[in-house]
Amino acid sequence: MISAKTILAAFVLARLALAMPSGTDTAKRATCTVNSVSSASSLSSCSSVVISSFTVPSGSTLTMNFAEGASVTMSGDVTFASTTSSGPLVTIAGTGITFNGNGHKFDGNGPDYWDGEGTNGGKTKPHPFMKLKASGTLENFTILNTPAQAISMGNDDPVVVSGVTVDNSAGDTNSLGHNTDGFDCSESDVTIQNSVIKNQDDCIAINAGSNIVFQNNQCSGGHGISIGSIASGKTVSGVTISGNTVTNSQNGLRIKVNADATSASVSGVTYSGNTLSGITDYGILVTESYPDSFGTPGTGASISGINFTGSKTTVAVDSSATRVAVNCGSGACSGTWNWGELTVTGGKTSVIKAASATISGGSY
Ligand SMILES: *[C@@H]1O[C@H](CO)[C@@H](O)[C@H](O)[C@H]1NC(C)=O
Ligand SMILES: *[C@@H]1O[C@H](CO)[C@@H](O)[C@H](O)[C@H]1NC(C)=O
């Protein structure tokens, strides 16, 4: 006799067998937890990953290579003990991932390294703190107190970084934090938005790449929003900088090309709807004499298509600052630049050496 119970049990088992994925599917559907450096080493079969709170010990770095399309969330903070390891201390890699930090932190222990010298001397500082080799969407996490540069982009496919806080404001005390760039970008197809960057160097430095959008971010305490410095052979094109707020910073918006750069170019940069105040050096600086802000410009790199259009960009500079400085080498800047939606007030008279470029409109 087969009992009703047995039939029911067989039925349930059959249903379970149908519901359970088989073979590689089982592996792909696994949820994995990262709660140590070693647990991060084999994530290739995890479609879903939870990062919980742990400390990365001295001498170690954290690399997370996520599966294509993985969904990653954080449930706690990851703290990095002081280390003599080289940067990056944390690498996030993976194609088309969705990374949601739920507001949790990566804490770099910056105060243990900060000595006012950044990467120019003093204590060795691992940098960058974080390398983002991921594409997809990364959002809602905080990078706290990085030894030097915070986030370096390294994506191969399009990426959107949203709602990220880089908070190095503790480094303002006694000017100990230095070279703490928020984002360094030498990649294409990058959008960084709705983020907050408090630091002591460039909010973002765009060194190469195309199709780059930096929008609706808040920068404070640093050196402003920068394209460059541009070195020989580097090209930046198709950049949109819009809706950002920059306060209490050395510079507002800069394009800086190395004086000795050759075979390099910056083209197609559009600024729209940015609001800047408390700028101490230059409101707007376009220069080909870097590292000198206004030295003898080089002629081996070209700059074209630099526009202030769309919504008004307003810049209020301090009395010590120059409103606008353009410093192009002979023939090296060209075309018509539409500055119709730019207003700069305060500070000292603008100095414009635009070479072959014609700048139209604007109030500065
Ligand atoms: C970030 O995550 C926290 C925790 O889930 C949430 O309360 C907050 O609203 C999120 N912020 C954004 C901008 O999504
Ligand atoms: C910048 O403005 C000039 C002059 O109006 C225009 O010819 C050019 O296409 C604009 N460039 C971009 C990238 O919008």
Side-chain angles (χ1 to χ4, degrees):
M1 275 283 283
I2 299 170
S3 74
K5 245 185 185 168
T6 310
I7 290 169
L8 185 64
F11 182 68
V12 167
L13 278 174
R15 287 297 298 264
L16 271 177
L18 280 175
M20 287 282 287
S22 61
T24 53
D25 277 343
T26 311
K28 267 189 200 151
R29 289 178 192 200
T31 294
C32 305
T33 300
V34 173
N35 55 12
S36 65
V37 169
S38 59
S39 64
S41 64
S42 54
L43 300 172
S44 57
S45 60
C46 310
S47 66
S48 160
V49 178
V50 176
I51 302 168
S52 66
S53 178
F54 68 102
T55 296
V56 175
S58 184
S60 291
T61 60
L62 175 64
T63 300
M64 295 180 281
N65 277 306
F66 297 110
E68 183 166 353
S71 169
V72 184
T73 55
M74 293 177 75
S75 68
D77 299 339
V78 180
T79 301
F80 292 75
S82 292
T83 186
T84 52
S85 299
S86 311
L89 297 188
V90 50
T91 300
I92 296 177
T95 304
I97 67 169
T98 303
F99 186 108
N100 183 349
N102 284 316
H104 289 291
K105 289 194 260 293
F106 293 93
D107 182 342
N109 252 312
D112 283 359
Y113 305 85
W114 292 337
D115 53 12
E117 299 199 55
T119 50
N120 304 321
K123 195 160 183 174
T124 303
K125 299 165 191 78
H127 63 280
F129 174 66
M130 174 179 279
K131 188 82 186 178
L132 286 186
K133 288 189 178 174
S135 60
T137 306
L138 298 101
E139 65 179 11
N140 200 4
F141 57 90
T142 289
I143 307 285
L144 183 67
N145 296 344
T146 61
Q149 290 84 352
I151 300 176
S152 170
M153 303 306 299
N155 55 297
D156 292 328
D157 291 301
V159 68
V160 177
V161 176
S162 199
V164 167
T165 297
V166 175
D167 185 359
N168 280 326
S169 57
D172 290 343
T173 305
N174 299 323
S175 302
L176 291 180
H178 200 71
N179 298 137
T180 49
D181 288 2
F183 290 89
D184 287 300
C185 179
S186 295
E187 302 295 338
S188 297
D189 304 317
V190 172
T191 296
I192 296 168
Q193 61 188 16
N194 307 330
S195 293
V196 175
I197 297 97
K198 301 174 187 174
N199 67 344
Q200 297 82 24
D201 207 312
D202 289 324
C203 183
I204 182 171
I206 298 170
N207 299 110
S210 62
N211 191 24
I212 297 164
V213 177
F214 190 73
Q215 62 187 4
N216 305 331
N217 303 290
Q218 297 170 40
C219 307
S220 63
H223 294 178
I225 296 172
S226 297
I227 293 177
S229 59
I230 304 293
S232 289
K234 301 295 181 187
T235 298
V236 170
S237 65
V239 177
T240 301
I241 311 254
S242 67
N244 303 287
T245 302
V246 179
T247 53
N248 302 328
S249 295
Q250 212 175 67
N251 305 283
L253 305 169
R254 278 192 296 178
I255 297 175
K256 37 179 177 163
V257 174
N258 292 346
D260 64 2
T262 56
S263 306
S265 69
V266 176
S267 62
V269 179
T270 302
Y271 297 96
S272 171
N274 302 286
T275 304
L276 301 89
S277 63
I279 307 302
T280 58
D281 286 14
Y282 292 93
I284 310 290
L285 176 64
V286 179
T287 187
E288 296 192 309
S289 67
Y290 199 77
D292 286 346
S293 291
F294 212 90
T296 304
T299 55
S302 67
I303 302 180
S304 62
I306 312 303
N307 293 346
F308 289 83
T309 50
S311 304
K312 183 77 84 184
T313 287
T314 59
V315 186
V317 305
D318 289 357
S319 57
S320 56
T322 300
R323 287 197 289 278
V324 176
V326 176
N327 186 27
C328 295
S330 176
C333 295
S334 62
T336 299
W337 301 0
N338 179 352
W339 286 20
E341 298 302 324
L342 173 67
T343 299
V344 189
T345 56
K348 300 185 228 165
T349 309
S350 299
V351 193
I352 310 294
K353 282 170 50 184
S356 307
T358 302
I359 301 180
S360 68
S363 167
Y364 50 87

